[in-house]
Amino acid sequence: MAQEDVFKKIVSHGKEYGFVFPSSEIYDGLAAVYDYGQNGVELKNNIKQYWWQSMVLLHDNIVGIDAAIFMHPTVWKASGHVDAFNDPLIDNRDSKKRYRADVLIEDQIAKYDEKIDKEVAKAAKRFGEVFDEEKYRATSPKVLEERQRRDALYERYKKAMNATDLNELRQIIVDEEITDPVSGTRNWTDVRQFNLMFSTEMGSTSEGSMKVYLRPETAQGIFVNYLNVQKTGRMRIPFGIAQIGKAFRNEIVARQFIFRMREFEQMEMQFFVRPGTEIEWFEKWRAARLKWHEALGFGNAMYRLHDHEKLAHYANAATDIEFNMPFGFKEVEGIHSRTDFDLSQHEKFSGKSIKYFDPERNESYTPYVIETSIGVDRMFLSILCGSYREETLENGETRVVLRLPPALAPVKLAVLPLVKKDGLPGKAREIMDELKFHFHCQYEEKDSIGRRYRRQDAIGTPYCVTVDHQTLEDNTVTLRHRDTMEQTRVAIVDLNSIIADKVSITSLLKTLQA
């Protein structure tokens, strides 16, 4: 099945089973805005809890804050967002659609990569076990030709982006004969810059109002509060500040479901270090963050590190952690060494000293910052894509199952009476009432037991308990495992000890400390 079709099925599955809905759907929706349903919000909260506890519980030098969405407008002047937070946009005159020029070119680069990978895959199939991929990539005329074209395009693109050369970006699109996905034509306008921040007015009267912005990132709330946290928490460098919160960007090219949205949520940690030690800390956090992702169990091959060749003006190192989505490897987290840019800018624009006094060195300095930043929604999408399976069973039947990490699953245990009579529902409710204090349980009695199993598979519930007539005799139940569909007979009193540790966030956190 084509990966595009798989992604469509995942999007459809997300809506059908209460994970993600189009926002304001009864009014035909609002582009690039989504609501999380009853199962989606549980999964999302579990992702956030996993991240928060991995930062704040496992590190005695990291604390959390919750900064306001509205901030003084000068914050965004200091950070550079007012003057430089722009996307290069281009319109197609025939379709009337607007696109990011850089995304169109990056997609073209990806097409060259796909051609190379397909050529290598064909050769691997042709030569079998004796195939030497590294040698083939270095010697195949077809591969070398595509690689040369790809590298030439990349160098030209990188130079244009670094120079903010809008005319050159358009010329690349023309020279590469990139067509509009909707109209199929190459009738392009010039490339223009477009600021991504949403603005509004704050004040009781129009005359006394002040222009403010919905924050486009959560990091600045940490930077302007770092000295408050350091002093009140008596923190010593190195230390970190974590935050989870909403951010807003007026994305013109919002696409691929919840991958790129106008209202989204971030999990960010800013780690403050002594100047000169930042690259060492950058390497440590890059390794730690990759380990955090790999602990979810989707397989290390699903992730890759992408080091930035084009660095932001404030950074001296940057890496993306990418996940293999159905539409290719895409960024889910960024790790950046931001130097002292942000703190120095806020000191300059505020006129107030926010230097850190280091008692060990008996000197004051502006700390350098290592940033780890995850898009919660992208993380959610990567987990949904990594978990989705369509399986054919031994009896020829098929099932759709979300193989979610048990600790992140919306429902940990489904309690199912075999029939709706003979006292079985009452007994099932007793089990539910006892276990619901330990983890999220769901009671269900409608339809056959097989159909109920399938519904629980579809939302990723790792365990199901079936209460039958034998339960009334000996207080045992049938425990079904989602992934293997294995069924075992266990005592009711043992359920909590069997299940609790396997479905707790603690079970994931322990793997990080191993």
Side-chain angles (χ1 to χ4, degrees):
M1 185 184 301
Q3 290 300 295
E4 183 180 340
D5 294 333
V6 172
F7 188 56
K8 287 179 180 178
K9 287 191 173 186
I10 291 170
V11 174
S12 176
H13 188 89
K15 180 182 178 184
E16 182 179 357
Y17 288 95
F19 285 90
V20 184
F21 307 132
S23 182
S24 313
E25 188 178 18
I26 64 171
Y27 294 101
D28 298 325
L30 186 63
V33 183
Y34 290 89
D35 300 330
Y36 286 84
Q38 69 276 19
N39 290 317
V41 72
E42 295 291 342
L43 173 56
K44 192 178 185 185
N45 285 342
N46 291 339
I47 293 169
K48 291 190 286 187
Q49 186 183 12
Y50 174 43
W51 181 86
W52 186 265
Q53 293 188 10
S54 72
M55 288 294 179
V56 176
L57 288 188
L58 299 188
H59 300 91
D60 56 10
N61 61 343
I62 297 178
V63 295
I65 68 168
D66 183 10
I69 289 174
F70 287 124
M71 303 181 73
H72 193 284
T74 309
V75 167
W76 305 112
K77 187 73 175 175
S79 68
H81 284 82
V82 171
D83 298 320
F85 193 52
N86 302 305
D87 272 348
L89 301 181
I90 190 169
D91 294 342
N92 182 272
R93 295 186 179 93
D94 297 320
S95 69
K96 312 301 181 186
K97 296 290 184 180
R98 180 168 290 172
Y99 303 91
R100 275 177 53 180
D102 57 327
V103 171
L104 289 175
I105 297 171
E106 287 174 4
D107 286 347
Q108 183 72 1
I109 293 171
K111 288 179 181 178
Y112 286 121
D113 290 332
E114 288 172 10
K115 285 182 181 179
I116 293 170
D117 290 342
K118 285 181 180 178
E119 190 65 32
V120 171
K122 283 195 304 183
K125 188 175 181 180
R126 188 165 64 248
F127 293 110
E129 294 182 1
V130 299
F131 179 64
D132 186 334
E133 180 176 336
E134 185 176 348
K135 183 178 179 180
Y136 185 81
R137 286 180 179 272
T139 58
S140 168
K142 286 186 177 180
V143 170
L144 291 175
E145 180 183 354
E146 291 296 336
R147 169 60 62 180
Q148 184 177 13
R149 293 176 64 187
R150 185 259 184 216
D151 290 347
L153 171 58
Y154 178 77
E155 289 302 319
R156 188 179 174 191
Y157 164 64
K158 183 172 72 170
K159 184 178 179 181
M161 288 295 289
N162 285 331
T164 319
D165 189 339
L166 303 184
N167 291 330
E168 175 65 0
L169 288 175
R170 184 186 187 279
Q171 194 58 48
I172 292 172
I173 291 171
V174 171
D175 292 346
E176 288 290 323
E177 298 183 347
I178 297 174
T179 59
D180 172 25
V182 176
S183 67
T185 69
R186 300 194 290 269
N187 191 8
W188 298 108
T189 65
D190 292 336
V191 178
R192 302 179 304 282
Q193 292 281 34
F194 180 83
N195 194 283
L196 299 179
M197 285 197 294
F198 286 102
S199 64
T200 187
E201 302 291 328
M202 179 177 287
S204 56
T205 64
S206 58
E207 293 82 7
S209 65
M210 175 175 62
K211 186 177 184 179
V212 294
Y213 299 95
L214 295 178
R215 64 184 180 193
E217 65 176 30
T218 58
Q220 300 305 320
I222 295 176
F223 295 137
V224 300
N225 278 299
Y226 110 92
L227 204 57
N228 287 333
V229 173
Q230 186 270 318
K231 288 181 176 179
T232 58
R234 302 175 68 189
M235 310 293 291
R236 289 196 173 191
I237 278 182
F239 72 91
I241 302 176
Q243 179 174 210
I244 299 176
K246 287 289 186 76
F248 308 84
R249 296 181 184 180
N250 193 13
E251 296 277 6
I252 294 301
V253 187
R255 58 178 186 168
Q256 291 166 331
F257 193 33
I258 58 173
F259 182 79
R260 192 184 301 279
M261 300 193 296
R262 295 187 170 96
E263 175 188 337
F264 55 97
E265 200 161 8
Q266 291 181 302
M267 303 185 293
E268 294 196 327
M269 193 279 295
Q270 308 295 331
F271 197 71
F272 301 90
V273 303
R274 180 167 52 84
T277 66
E278 71 275 6
I279 298 302
E280 176 188 351
W281 280 108
F282 171 80
E283 296 292 345
K284 287 181 179 179
W285 277 111
R286 181 170 66 170
R289 295 309 306 147
L290 182 60
K291 185 177 181 181
W292 183 88
H293 288 274
E294 291 176 344
L296 294 175
F298 293 119
N300 295 0
M302 295 296 287
Y303 301 92
R304 72 180 185 189
L305 293 171
H306 172 68
D307 294 327
H308 288 209
E309 295 183 44
K310 175 184 179 294
L311 293 173
H313 60 90
Y314 53 75
N316 62 359
T319 294
D320 292 337
I321 296 175
E322 299 179 337
F323 184 83
N324 191 9
M325 306 276 194
F327 43 90
F329 276 96
K330 297 294 180 180
E331 176 195 354
V332 292
E333 177 166 7
I335 301 97
H336 311 107
S337 176
R338 298 180 70 118
T339 68
D340 62 350
F341 171 79
D342 299 278
L343 296 182
S344 296
Q345 283 292 99
H346 289 306
E347 190 169 60
K348 172 185 174 183
F349 277 78
S350 69
K352 298 181 176 68
S353 174
I354 54 175
K355 286 183 170 58
Y356 168 78
F357 177 73
D358 191 330
E360 294 181 2
R361 301 173 68 88
N362 196 32
E363 64 176 346
S364 296
Y365 53 78
T366 303
Y368 275 43
V369 178
I370 308 303
E371 172 184 75
T372 73
S373 177
I374 308 183
V376 180
D377 310 278
R378 290 187 178 189
M379 188 69 198
F380 182 104
L381 181 59
S382 72
I383 290 172
L384 206 60
C385 291
S387 301
Y388 183 86
R389 299 285 189 280
E390 295 181 5
E391 299 177 349
T392 301
L393 307 180
E394 291 182 0
N395 61 6
E397 295 181 5
T398 60
R399 72 163 180 163
V400 174
V401 57
L402 290 184
R403 292 179 175 266
L404 295 168
L408 301 186
V411 179
K412 314 301 186 188
L413 175 69
V415 183
L416 316 173
L418 186 62
V419 292
K420 293 190 291 183
K421 59 182 180 178
D422 303 333
L424 300 187
K427 190 64 175 179
R429 287 288 184 184
E430 285 181 23
I431 297 171
M432 173 94 171
D433 289 340
E434 172 61 30
L435 295 179
K436 69 183 180 184
F437 294 101
H438 303 282
F439 40 79
H440 190 187
C441 302
Q442 187 175 92
Y443 174 86
E444 190 176 16
E445 62 181 27
K446 183 181 179 182
D447 291 329
S448 69
I449 195 68
R451 286 190 176 184
R452 281 180 277 170
Y453 283 156
R454 291 291 175 266
R455 282 201 292 269
Q456 295 300 326
D457 290 342
I459 65 172
T461 304
Y463 297 100
C464 290
V465 157
T466 303
V467 178
D468 55 23
H469 294 91
Q470 185 180 337
T471 306
L472 303 179
E473 299 173 6
D474 60 9
N475 280 319
T476 64
V477 292
T478 298
L479 180 65
R480 177 187 183 265
H481 299 252
R482 177 197 66 200
D483 294 340
T484 63
M485 295 186 292
E486 178 186 356
Q487 299 186 27
T488 55
R489 200 76 191 176
V490 301
I492 293 173
V493 295
D494 294 333
L495 282 174
N496 187 40
S497 61
I498 293 171
I499 298 171
D501 185 59
K502 294 182 177 65
V503 300
S504 71
I505 297 293
T506 304
S507 65
L508 279 177
L509 297 179
K510 286 178 179 178
T511 66
L512 301 179
Q513 294 287 282

